[in-house]
Amino acid sequence: MTTADNGPRPETSNISVRRGDPLVVITDVQKHYGDFHALKDIDLTVNRGEVVVVIGPSGSGKSTLCRTINRLETITSGTITIDGKKLPEEGKALAALRADVGMVFQSFNLFSHLTILENVTLGPLKVRKMSKADADKQAKTLLDRVGVGQQAAKLPAQLSGGQQQRVAIARALAMNPKVMLFDEPTSALDPEMINEVLDVMVGLAQEGMTMIVVTHEMGFARKAADRVVFMADGEIVEEATPDEFFTNPKSNRAKDFLSKLITH
C-alpha cells in the first residue's frame, strides 16, 4: 500500500517534523514484578498523529510497556499522561480514560456469544451512551472499512483469525479513541492472514491515527512508522526513523537483533 498523493505522510517522516502536540507522555517509568525489573527508566513521548513501532527481542518489555499505557499493568513509579491527564489509579476516571485508548491484543478478545455487529456496538452503547441506531450505523461503516461488512450477523467463531482481528480493530475504532495500542496484533495469525490486518493498520496510519504498535513485522515498521523504538532488557536502547534504524542502527543490541532477522 503506497501513500496517497494527497496524504500528509511522506514515506519516511523526519522525527523533527511533528504533526501534533504530545499525546502520550511516559516519564521515568519503572515496573517491577517482585525482584524482576521489567521496565527501567522509560521515557517516551508520542505526539498526536504519530505512529511509533516498538520492537525488540522476546522478553524485552515491549508488551508490558504497551499495557501500562491504559493501566492493564500498573507501574511501580513514574508517570504516564494521556492528552495532559495523568493515568488514574482506578474507578470511573480510569474507565473514562480507557475509553479514549483503543487496544488490540494478540488474541482477539471478542465476545464469543455476541454477533460481530454486537461486539462493535457494545462499547458505544454502554460507555459512549450512543443510540442503537447510531451505534449500528457506525459499526456497519467501520466493518466495511476493515473489509468484513458482510460478516456482521455472524459469531466470532465463524470468522477466520484475520477477520476476527479486523473486527477487533473496528471495535476499538468505534470508541473514537485518541490513541490506538496494538500488542503484537498479528502474532496469533496464520501467515496468509497477516497482511490483511497490516493493510488495515497501514490505512489507519495514513489517515493520521496516533498508534503505538508492538510488533515483529519489520515490513510494517518500515512502511508505516514515524519512529522505531528498540527495547532490550526492559530499557529503550534507541529510537530513530525506520530508515535510520534499519540501515544504520547505533547500538550493538540493535545490530545483533537485526542481523538475526536478516539471516532467517
Side-chain angles (χ1 to χ4, degrees):
M1 188 179 291
T2 56
T3 307
D5 290 340
N6 60 354
R9 300 178 65 80
E11 277 302 317
T12 304
S13 304
N14 185 330
I15 284 183
S16 64
V17 181
R18 296 287 167 79
R19 278 186 300 281
D21 52 318
L23 183 63
V24 178
V25 180
I26 301 168
T27 308
D28 192 26
V29 161
Q30 317 288 336
K31 168 69 178 175
H32 293 268
Y33 295 102
D35 292 335
F36 178 62
H37 200 171
L39 294 177
K40 306 169 187 171
D41 310 315
I42 300 292
D43 290 296
L44 181 66
T45 297
V46 179
N47 295 291
R48 207 176 298 276
E50 194 177 19
V51 179
V52 172
V53 173
V54 184
I55 64 174
S58 295
S60 58
K62 308 182 300 293
S63 290
T64 302
L65 175 61
C66 189
R67 292 166 68 88
T68 62
I69 296 169
N70 67 350
R71 212 174 167 78
L72 284 174
E73 294 276 2
T74 58
I75 58 176
T76 306
S77 62
T79 59
I80 300 175
T81 62
I82 297 174
D83 209 7
K85 295 177 184 169
K86 191 174 172 184
L87 211 54
E89 296 287 322
E90 55 191 22
K92 286 185 177 177
L94 179 59
L97 187 126
R98 276 195 182 140
D100 288 336
V101 182
M103 182 96 187
V104 179
F105 301 87
Q106 294 179 37
S107 52
F108 324 120
N109 287 16
L110 299 175
F111 291 107
S112 60
H113 64 291
L114 298 180
T115 66
I116 296 309
L117 186 72
E118 288 166 342
N119 265 281
V120 178
T121 59
L122 187 64
L125 289 170
K126 299 285 188 189
V127 180
R128 298 291 191 209
K129 306 302 182 189
M130 201 180 272
S131 72
K132 186 170 188 316
D134 286 345
D136 283 353
K137 182 180 177 184
Q138 174 186 260
K140 286 171 183 171
T141 300
L142 288 170
L143 289 170
D144 283 339
R145 179 175 166 189
V146 300
V148 289
Q150 301 301 312
Q151 317 295 333
K154 292 183 179 177
L155 294 171
Q158 296 173 279
L159 273 60
S160 71
Q163 289 172 322
Q164 289 188 60
Q165 192 61 295
R166 285 183 281 154
V167 172
I169 293 171
R171 179 181 60 181
L173 290 172
M175 297 297 286
N176 194 24
K178 293 176 179 176
V179 58
M180 289 272 284
L181 309 176
F182 294 84
D183 185 11
E184 301 198 20
T186 58
S187 64
L189 298 177
D190 293 332
E192 67 270 18
M193 295 176 187
I194 289 173
N195 280 341
E196 65 189 53
V197 173
L198 292 178
D199 283 347
V200 171
M201 293 169 62
V202 169
L204 287 177
Q206 290 173 343
E207 290 166 24
M209 171 62 74
T210 309
M211 296 164 62
I212 300 170
V213 184
V214 173
T215 186
H216 293 290
E217 298 296 331
M218 299 302 134
F220 174 80
R222 285 177 178 272
K223 185 185 291 187
D226 293 297
R227 214 172 355 143
V228 172
V229 171
F230 175 73
M231 291 186 71
D233 301 321
E235 297 178 285
I236 293 177
V237 178
E238 64 179 283
E239 49 184 297
T241 64
D243 201 35
E244 287 175 280
F245 180 78
F246 287 109
T247 58
N248 188 28
K250 301 290 189 290
S251 65
N252 288 332
R253 289 303 304 268
K255 288 173 187 173
D256 183 55
F257 176 77
L258 290 172
S259 72
K260 287 174 180 168
L261 288 179
I262 292 162
T263 55
H264 276 288

